[in-house]
Amino acid sequence: MNKTMKENTWYCIKCNVAMKQTTLPYYEFQEGVPIPHVPALQCPSCLKILLTEKQAKAVEARTDKLLEQQFGFERKLTTSGKSLVVGVPYELADHLGMKAGKKVKIFPLNGKGFIVKKIEA
Ligand SMILES: [Zn+2]
């Protein structure tokens, strides 16, 4: 054992042993959003898991990215004349810079639905 605690060494509060670098198969930073292969520290004695601030920030960023990719809005179709209308949530439209009056293009998606893309001016 080292005589002095190294700056980057973390100790298990319960066991007072140095925690070891490990890679968790999955870690849920946010409940229901498992992130694979997450670097973390683990106590070799009690197997307690600890994430350093840096590790926590990294897994938080990965969680945000995953949510962004998987995010979908559920909307009920309404009608306008013969056309079906889908309401675009304000936050999404604003994020994408879509405004009323701007043109979009609709692409069919394998008989499952469609994708709406903005037409870059
Ligand atoms: Zn421990």
PDB file of all heavy atoms in Angstrom, residues 12-17 43-48, ligand 1:
ATOM      1  N   CYS A  12     -12.646   3.285  -0.549  1.00  0.00           N
ATOM      2  CA  CYS A  12     -13.982   2.922  -0.099  1.00  0.00           C
ATOM      3  C   CYS A  12     -14.120   3.368   1.361  1.00  0.00           C
ATOM      4  O   CYS A  12     -13.284   3.021   2.201  1.00  0.00           O
ATOM      5  CB  CYS A  12     -14.195   1.414  -0.213  1.00  0.00           C
ATOM      6  SG  CYS A  12     -15.794   0.885   0.400  1.00  0.00           S
ATOM      7  N   ILE A  13     -15.150   4.142   1.605  1.00  0.00           N
ATOM      8  CA  ILE A  13     -15.367   4.676   2.955  1.00  0.00           C
ATOM      9  C   ILE A  13     -15.597   3.535   3.951  1.00  0.00           C
ATOM     10  O   ILE A  13     -15.128   3.564   5.074  1.00  0.00           O
ATOM     11  CB  ILE A  13     -16.574   5.650   2.955  1.00  0.00           C
ATOM     12  CG1 ILE A  13     -16.239   6.884   2.108  1.00  0.00           C
ATOM     13  CG2 ILE A  13     -16.945   6.071   4.379  1.00  0.00           C
ATOM     14  CD1 ILE A  13     -17.452   7.737   1.753  1.00  0.00           C
ATOM     15  N   LYS A  14     -16.306   2.532   3.472  1.00  0.00           N
ATOM     16  CA  LYS A  14     -16.663   1.412   4.346  1.00  0.00           C
ATOM     17  C   LYS A  14     -15.461   0.507   4.643  1.00  0.00           C
ATOM     18  O   LYS A  14     -15.206   0.142   5.788  1.00  0.00           O
ATOM     19  CB  LYS A  14     -17.770   0.601   3.657  1.00  0.00           C
ATOM     20  CG  LYS A  14     -18.567  -0.292   4.584  1.00  0.00           C
ATOM     21  CD  LYS A  14     -19.708  -0.953   3.800  1.00  0.00           C
ATOM     22  CE  LYS A  14     -19.762  -2.437   4.091  1.00  0.00           C
ATOM     23  NZ  LYS A  14     -20.691  -3.131   3.183  1.00  0.00           N
ATOM     24  N   CYS A  15     -14.688   0.174   3.590  1.00  0.00           N
ATOM     25  CA  CYS A  15     -13.623  -0.828   3.728  1.00  0.00           C
ATOM     26  C   CYS A  15     -12.233  -0.217   3.885  1.00  0.00           C
ATOM     27  O   CYS A  15     -11.292  -0.920   4.242  1.00  0.00           O
ATOM     28  CB  CYS A  15     -13.625  -1.756   2.521  1.00  0.00           C
ATOM     29  SG  CYS A  15     -15.258  -2.322   2.059  1.00  0.00           S
ATOM     30  N   ASN A  16     -12.110   1.076   3.557  1.00  0.00           N
ATOM     31  CA  ASN A  16     -10.820   1.762   3.594  1.00  0.00           C
ATOM     32  C   ASN A  16      -9.763   1.091   2.713  1.00  0.00           C
ATOM     33  O   ASN A  16      -8.596   0.973   3.089  1.00  0.00           O
ATOM     34  CB  ASN A  16     -10.328   1.902   5.039  1.00  0.00           C
ATOM     35  CG  ASN A  16      -9.248   2.977   5.156  1.00  0.00           C
ATOM     36  OD1 ASN A  16      -9.243   3.945   4.393  1.00  0.00           O
ATOM     37  ND2 ASN A  16      -8.334   2.800   6.101  1.00  0.00           N
ATOM     38  N   VAL A  17     -10.177   0.621   1.569  1.00  0.00           N
ATOM     39  CA  VAL A  17      -9.231   0.090   0.579  1.00  0.00           C
ATOM     40  C   VAL A  17      -9.371   0.908  -0.706  1.00  0.00           C
ATOM     41  O   VAL A  17     -10.430   1.490  -0.968  1.00  0.00           O
ATOM     42  CB  VAL A  17      -9.466  -1.420   0.278  1.00  0.00           C
ATOM     43  CG1 VAL A  17      -9.146  -2.256   1.500  1.00  0.00           C
ATOM     44  CG2 VAL A  17     -10.870  -1.684  -0.208  1.00  0.00           C
ATOM     45  N   CYS A  43     -14.983  -0.960  -5.345  1.00  0.00           N
ATOM     46  CA  CYS A  43     -14.271  -1.448  -4.175  1.00  0.00           C
ATOM     47  C   CYS A  43     -14.063  -2.950  -4.351  1.00  0.00           C
ATOM     48  O   CYS A  43     -15.015  -3.691  -4.567  1.00  0.00           O
ATOM     49  CB  CYS A  43     -15.091  -1.168  -2.919  1.00  0.00           C
ATOM     50  SG  CYS A  43     -14.390  -1.963  -1.466  1.00  0.00           S
ATOM     51  N   PRO A  44     -12.796  -3.405  -4.305  1.00  0.00           N
ATOM     52  CA  PRO A  44     -12.532  -4.841  -4.494  1.00  0.00           C
ATOM     53  C   PRO A  44     -13.085  -5.691  -3.348  1.00  0.00           C
ATOM     54  O   PRO A  44     -13.224  -6.898  -3.483  1.00  0.00           O
ATOM     55  CB  PRO A  44     -10.999  -4.923  -4.551  1.00  0.00           C
ATOM     56  CG  PRO A  44     -10.511  -3.670  -3.925  1.00  0.00           C
ATOM     57  CD  PRO A  44     -11.575  -2.638  -4.052  1.00  0.00           C
ATOM     58  N   SER A  45     -13.389  -5.039  -2.238  1.00  0.00           N
ATOM     59  CA  SER A  45     -13.873  -5.772  -1.074  1.00  0.00           C
ATOM     60  C   SER A  45     -15.405  -5.887  -1.044  1.00  0.00           C
ATOM     61  O   SER A  45     -15.953  -6.980  -1.085  1.00  0.00           O
ATOM     62  CB  SER A  45     -13.366  -5.087   0.189  1.00  0.00           C
ATOM     63  OG  SER A  45     -13.894  -5.716   1.323  1.00  0.00           O
ATOM     64  N   CYS A  46     -16.095  -4.736  -1.003  1.00  0.00           N
ATOM     65  CA  CYS A  46     -17.560  -4.793  -0.888  1.00  0.00           C
ATOM     66  C   CYS A  46     -18.264  -4.613  -2.232  1.00  0.00           C
ATOM     67  O   CYS A  46     -19.486  -4.663  -2.313  1.00  0.00           O
ATOM     68  CB  CYS A  46     -18.057  -3.762   0.127  1.00  0.00           C
ATOM     69  SG  CYS A  46     -17.923  -2.056  -0.437  1.00  0.00           S
ATOM     70  N   LEU A  47     -17.476  -4.389  -3.286  1.00  0.00           N
ATOM     71  CA  LEU A  47     -17.983  -4.245  -4.659  1.00  0.00           C
ATOM     72  C   LEU A  47     -18.860  -3.008  -4.883  1.00  0.00           C
ATOM     73  O   LEU A  47     -19.597  -2.911  -5.862  1.00  0.00           O
ATOM     74  CB  LEU A  47     -18.750  -5.507  -5.107  1.00  0.00           C
ATOM     75  CG  LEU A  47     -17.983  -6.829  -5.011  1.00  0.00           C
ATOM     76  CD1 LEU A  47     -18.852  -7.993  -5.468  1.00  0.00           C
ATOM     77  CD2 LEU A  47     -16.693  -6.778  -5.844  1.00  0.00           C
ATOM     78  N   LYS A  48     -18.753  -2.066  -3.949  1.00  0.00           N
ATOM     79  CA  LYS A  48     -19.478  -0.812  -4.099  1.00  0.00           C
ATOM     80  C   LYS A  48     -18.953  -0.054  -5.322  1.00  0.00           C
ATOM     81  O   LYS A  48     -17.753  -0.047  -5.583  1.00  0.00           O
ATOM     82  CB  LYS A  48     -19.273   0.031  -2.838  1.00  0.00           C
ATOM     83  CG  LYS A  48     -19.997   1.360  -2.809  1.00  0.00           C
ATOM     84  CD  LYS A  48     -19.593   2.120  -1.537  1.00  0.00           C
ATOM     85  CE  LYS A  48     -19.578   3.617  -1.760  1.00  0.00           C
ATOM     86  NZ  LYS A  48     -20.881   4.217  -1.542  1.00  0.00           N
TER      87      LYS A  48
HETATM   88 ZN    ZN B   1     -15.823  -1.393   0.185  1.00  0.00          ZN
END
